């Protein structure tokens, strides 16, 4: 019996894209269903009644929501090309850093988009504190996962969104001189065949310019 | 070589107590180090430089922070009395609900207790939405984990005990039996479990701790 894997997602959502990366890394066939978040489908609302958000993975009809939860589910269900390390301590570190990205970096990055002129300074400082922490964690590693892409690298895709925001708003946040490690890491990631497929930088930039570019024009 | 397990915690923190429940459930010997959060120890700051928070588990000198991350680590390291289910789908559900508790329920319930009086009604309603969602998830199960307590029950310790203490101190009604009969029944079963009962802070001490906070909040206005 063919595995039935469906993904409810949205092209501009980093959380949704994380799942596509994981599924592609493991060579899992899936059906992708693009959601219009301004007009959510009955299916999405049925499969994720608690949060009503993407992504939702449907495996043999059973839904899993919350991107990091989905990533762990994928890793435990399809064992090829592991995303998480095998060692419990390394695994704990990976979970810790993914949580850090979602609970510290992402909210700050979101706020900077919605804030105005003077508020930016404080938010940028906050984001840069978090980036500094990540830069030290990355150290000389090729990826957060070591020699190959792992859980934290997938979760860190939100950094691409930060880059799109900074370009759209003309802000200097993640700069090469301040964050050489992250800068290199970012290039490596964009060079990766699977990642490249799952980010659409140009489309994001175009979309952000339309939505948020007007904010810079009004300064 | 003997295992060296230390837990840096705070007696009144539900997050800290979660880890103690897990360690006790599995019969893991550990040294407990209580921290004064108004005067954080060098050990805590060194072991958790990113968040500077409790709990931190030190296993053979290696630190792990964030209570849910620690719980998973404990479950993977000491296999007796599993906290998480075996099947990947059930594990995903457990993780989903623990996340829901930490990211939605706890902030909503905490806010309902500490917000300004004018915002209270709305805040309590938001808390109620969370509790209702959990009530529906529990259904007719004895515990979130089924017949015995598991990952989600441990994560829900704040709801099982801390909420009751806060309700008394702050004078707000949250986990009421008329609105949430299933959750109230769960709470009673939960605090009746020996591993839970033996790992709760004293109601009086916790109440006094929160009362001080209420008093200092009203003085600073």
């Amino acid at each position: 019996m063919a595995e039935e894997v469906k993904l409810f997602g949205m092209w501009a959502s980093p959380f949704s894209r994380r799942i596509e990366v994981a599924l592609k890394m493991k060579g899992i066939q899936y059906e992708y269903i693009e959601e219009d978040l301004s007009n959510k489908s009955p299916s999405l609302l049925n499969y994720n009644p608690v949060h009503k958000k993407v992504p939702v993975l449907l495996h043999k009809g059973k839904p899993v929501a919350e991107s990091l939860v989905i990533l762990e589910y994928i890793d435990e269900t399809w064992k090829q090309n592991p995303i998480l390390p095998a060692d419990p301590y390394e695994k704990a570190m990976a979970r810790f850093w993914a949580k850090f990205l979602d609970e510290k970096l992402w909210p700050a990055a979101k706020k900077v988009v919605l804030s105005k002129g003077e508020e930016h300074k404080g938010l940028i400082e906050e984001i840069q504190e978090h980036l500094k922490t990540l830069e030290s964690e990355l150290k000389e590693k090729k990826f957060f996962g070591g020699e190959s892409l792992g859980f934290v690298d997938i979760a860190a895709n939100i950094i691409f969104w930060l880059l799109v925001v900074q370009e759209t708003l003309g802000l200097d946040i993640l700069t090469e001189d301040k964050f050489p490690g992250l800068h290199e890491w970012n290039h490596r990631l964009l060079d990766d065949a699977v990642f490249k497929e799952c980010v659409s930088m140009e489309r994001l930039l175009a979309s952000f310019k339309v939505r948020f570019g007007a904010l810079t024009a009004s300064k | 070589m003997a295992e060296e397990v230390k837990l840096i915690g705070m007696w009144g923190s539900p997050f800290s107590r979660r880890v103690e429940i897990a360690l006790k459930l599995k019969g893991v010997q550990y040294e407990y180090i209580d921290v004064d959060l108004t005067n954080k120890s060098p050990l805590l700051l060194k072991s958790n430089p990113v968040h500077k928070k409790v709990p931190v588990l030190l296993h053979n000198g290696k630190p792990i922070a964030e209570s849910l991350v620690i719980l998973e680590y404990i479950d993977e390291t000491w296999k007796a009395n599993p906290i998480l289910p075996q099947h990947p789908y059930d594990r995903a559900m457990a993780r989903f609900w623990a996340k829901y508790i930490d990211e939605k329920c706890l902030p909503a319930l905490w806010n309902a207790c500490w917000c300004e009086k004018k915002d209270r009604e709305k805040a309590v309603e938001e808390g109620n939405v969370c509790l209702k969602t959990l009530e529906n998830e529990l259904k007719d199960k004895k515990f979130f984990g089924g017949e015995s307590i598991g990952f989600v029950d441990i994560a829900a310790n704040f709801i099982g005990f801390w909420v009751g203490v806060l309700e008394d101190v702050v004078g707000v009604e949250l986990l009421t039996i008329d609105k949430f009969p299933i959750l109230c029944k769960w709470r009673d079963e939960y605090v009746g479990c020996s591993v839970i009962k033996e790992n709760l802070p004293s109601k009086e001490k916790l109440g006094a701790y929160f009362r001080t906070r209420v008093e200092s909040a009203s003085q600073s206005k």
Side-chain angles (χ1 to χ4, degrees):
Chain A
M1 179 189 113
E3 292 268 17
E4 197 198 62
V5 183
K6 295 188 188 186
L7 173 63
F8 291 84
M10 201 282 250
W11 72 271
S13 156
F15 307 103
S16 177
R17 291 297 195 158
R18 287 172 175 177
I19 311 308
E20 292 190 75
V21 169
L23 291 169
K24 286 185 162 55
M25 267 174 77
K26 288 177 178 274
I28 299 160
Q29 297 295 314
Y30 64 100
E31 181 192 335
Y32 178 74
I33 298 145
E34 175 76 18
E35 279 286 328
D36 173 0
L37 296 182
S38 62
N39 185 20
K40 293 173 183 178
S41 72
S43 292
L44 178 64
L45 301 176
N46 178 42
Y47 292 129
N48 190 4
V50 174
H51 300 296
K52 306 175 175 50
K53 287 180 171 178
V54 293
V56 178
L57 186 81
L58 212 61
H59 184 208
K60 296 183 191 167
K62 290 162 95 167
V64 185
E66 293 296 287
S67 65
L68 298 183
V69 175
I70 301 171
L71 289 182
E72 295 228 33
Y73 175 78
I74 289 172
D75 212 36
E76 285 170 6
T77 305
W78 293 278
K79 307 281 192 185
Q80 66 276 25
N81 298 336
I83 295 169
L84 277 157
D87 173 69
Y89 188 76
E90 298 305 317
K91 216 184 258 199
M93 293 305 101
R95 288 176 176 136
F96 175 89
W97 288 110
K99 235 172 167 278
F100 177 82
L101 285 157
D102 276 4
E103 292 174 10
K104 296 288 176 195
L105 184 63
W106 177 252
K110 249 173 70 166
K111 261 191 253 176
V112 94
V113 169
L114 302 170
S115 67
K116 295 181 184 48
E118 282 103 58
E119 294 163 358
H120 280 166
K121 188 160 178 287
L123 284 169
I124 291 171
E125 273 171 21
E126 190 190 331
I127 296 172
Q128 288 181 324
E129 273 308 305
H130 298 322
L131 290 174
K132 230 184 275 173
T133 306
L134 289 164
E135 179 93 0
S136 329
E137 173 53 24
L138 187 57
K139 280 184 280 261
E140 279 115 41
K141 288 187 293 202
K142 201 170 164 191
F143 298 107
F144 286 100
E147 273 305 299
S148 51
L149 285 173
F151 192 68
V152 182
D153 300 280
I154 300 175
N157 73 341
I158 57 174
I159 292 177
F160 295 135
W161 270 254
L162 178 64
L163 294 172
V164 170
V165 164
Q166 84 179 12
E167 192 176 321
T168 306
L169 300 180
L171 298 169
D172 277 332
I173 311 176
L174 202 171
T175 54
E176 186 176 355
D177 58 306
K178 283 206 178 82
F179 306 102
L182 283 174
H183 186 84
E184 282 295 306
W185 166 87
N186 177 55
H187 280 296
R188 255 176 245 128
L189 230 60
L190 286 172
D191 260 342
D192 178 84
V194 167
F195 256 86
K196 224 172 2 195
E197 255 188 82
C198 300
V199 74
S200 314
M201 285 296 256
E202 296 77 27
R203 194 177 169 191
L204 274 172
L205 269 164
S207 157
F208 271 57
K209 280 200 165 91
V210 166
R211 282 171 71 192
F212 307 113
L215 300 174
T216 48
S218 61
K219 287 196 182 102
Chain B
M1 178 188 114
E3 293 248 271
E4 197 199 55
V5 183
K6 297 186 185 188
L7 172 62
I8 308 171
M10 194 281 215
W11 65 270
S13 156
F15 306 103
S16 179
R17 292 289 185 164
R18 286 172 178 177
V19 179
E20 291 194 81
I21 296 167
L23 291 169
K24 294 229 157 72
L25 255 172
K26 287 167 179 281
V28 177
Q29 298 294 314
Y30 65 99
E31 180 194 338
Y32 177 73
I33 301 157
D34 201 79
V35 158
D36 174 1
L37 295 178
T38 62
N39 184 21
K40 292 174 181 178
S41 68
L43 179 64
L44 175 62
L45 299 176
K46 175 168 169 263
S47 306
N48 188 4
V50 175
H51 300 297
K52 306 175 175 51
K53 286 179 169 179
V54 293
V56 180
L57 187 79
L58 282 159
H59 185 204
N60 296 330
K62 290 162 94 168
I64 302 137
E66 294 295 285
S67 65
L68 296 184
V69 175
I70 300 171
L71 289 185
E72 293 230 35
Y73 175 79
I74 289 171
D75 211 36
E76 287 162 12
T77 305
W78 294 279
K79 308 282 191 184
N81 298 332
I83 295 169
L84 276 155
Q86 287 302 307
H87 192 277
Y89 189 77
D90 298 329
R91 291 164 75 83
M93 293 304 101
R95 287 173 180 137
F96 175 89
W97 288 110
K99 224 173 178 277
Y100 179 75
I101 286 168
D102 270 4
E103 292 176 9
K104 301 285 176 198
C105 297
L106 262 52
L109 294 169
W110 187 255
N111 185 46
C113 294
W114 300 108
C115 64
E116 305 256 346
K117 283 241 153 64
K118 62 178 173 69
D119 300 322
R120 183 160 284 177
E121 201 182 324
K122 183 164 181 277
V124 167
E125 273 206 28
E126 281 170 14
N128 283 348
V129 168
C130 292
L131 293 173
K132 192 79 204 155
T133 307
L134 289 177
E135 173 104 348
N136 293 340
E137 170 55 21
L138 197 50
K139 281 184 279 257
D140 44 16
K141 289 186 294 205
K142 190 174 175 191
F143 297 110
F144 289 99
E147 273 304 299
S148 52
I149 55 171
F151 192 67
V152 182
D153 301 279
I154 299 175
N157 66 343
F158 181 84
I159 298 166
F161 182 78
W162 274 254
V163 164
V165 178
L166 280 166
E167 284 173 318
D168 287 338
V169 169
V170 169
V172 68
E173 276 189 350
L174 290 163
L175 190 53
T176 53
I177 196 156
D178 57 313
K179 284 206 182 83
F180 311 106
I182 299 172
L183 212 46
C184 286
K185 183 161 174 281
W186 166 85
R187 177 196 51 195
D188 296 336
E189 288 279 2
Y190 184 66
V191 297
C193 292
S194 57
V195 77
I196 302 298
K197 206 164 34 189
E198 288 154 19
N199 289 300
L200 290 172
S202 118
K203 221 174 195 168
E204 291 72 33
K205 195 176 174 191
L206 193 63
Y209 176 82
F210 285 137
R211 222 161 269 120
T212 325
R213 207 191 139 123
V214 170
E215 276 146 31
S216 61
S218 57
Q219 273 161 26
S220 60
K221 288 206 178 95

